[in-house]
Structures are given as C-alpha cells and as structure tokens.
Amino acid sequence: MIKRYLYIGLGFVCVLFGYIGIVIPGIPTTPFLLLSIWFFSRSSKKIENWLINHRLFGQFISDWKNHRGIKIKSKIYAVALILFTFSLSIYFAFPFSIDIILFIFSIMLSIYIITRPVPPK
C-alpha cells in the first residue's frame, strides 16, 4: 500500500518536471513523462489512462509505449532543442573539459532520438 502511494507521488513529481521542461530549456520533458507513465502503470491504472489520454502528452506517450517510436516532427523539435541548449551551455557555462563531455553527450542523445522508429499513422 505504501509502495503504491509512493509510486503515485513520484509519478506526479515526474509529470510536474515534464511540465517545467516544456518552458525551461535544458530540462528534459520526455524522460520525466516516460518515467511517470512507468510509475503510474505500477500504481494506478486510472492515472495512467489519464496521462495516456492527456491532450498534450497522450499521443507521444502512446507512440512510445506501443511502438517505441517518435514522430518525425517531435524528432526535429527534440534534436533542435538539444543542440541549442547544449550549445548555450557549452559556450557560456562550463570549462573546456566539461564542454567536451556535453558535446559528446548531445551528439549521442541526438543520434539515439533520430534512430528511433517512426510510429505508424
């Protein structure tokens, strides 16, 4: 019973971070939403269905859950945002040694997103 409420709480925290990630560059929305759906799937089918049918996040979550895929428009948006935010971080915020790590990570993350399949229409 405690585990169920803990998962529900963590799921809502992840949804909150997902919403924050929409408006604050550099905070990823996608991993938090996928993590929240994982928590809800183990604690509350009602809340899981709410998130799957959400007008903003629902289609994306369904595409990932059912097909492990990302729509082309979402891929373009995600990669552009990754490159933009990582470039800003590299240019303004960190020493050269961390810049190299951020650069490599941004390229690997972009490649991962690009190589995910496109879900059927």
Side-chain angles (χ1 to χ4, degrees), residues 26-92:
I27 296 177
T29 300
T30 305
F32 286 117
L33 292 177
L34 295 176
L35 190 56
S36 69
I37 203 70
W38 184 85
F39 282 126
F40 292 145
S41 71
R42 282 150 181 76
S43 59
S44 171
K45 292 297 178 191
K46 181 179 178 183
I47 301 172
E48 178 187 18
N49 287 332
W50 164 77
L51 193 55
I52 288 172
N53 294 313
H54 192 273
R55 71 171 185 83
L56 187 60
F57 303 131
Q59 186 62 49
F60 165 76
I61 291 171
S62 293
D63 288 344
W64 184 260
K65 190 173 179 183
N66 298 328
H67 306 289
R68 292 287 189 248
I70 304 171
K71 290 184 178 180
I72 292 175
K73 183 179 175 182
S74 297
K75 288 182 183 188
I76 292 168
Y77 179 74
V79 170
L81 214 61
I82 288 167
L83 296 177
F84 176 72
T85 57
F86 274 75
S87 296
L88 286 177
S89 296
I90 289 168
Y91 186 74
F92 289 113

Side-chain angles (χ1 to χ4, degrees), residues 1-9 39 42-45:
M1 187 67 139
I2 292 174
K3 184 177 174 182
R4 178 175 185 258
Y5 289 116
L6 178 65
Y7 278 6
I8 289 172
F39 282 126
R42 282 150 181 76
S43 59
S44 171
K45 292 297 178 191

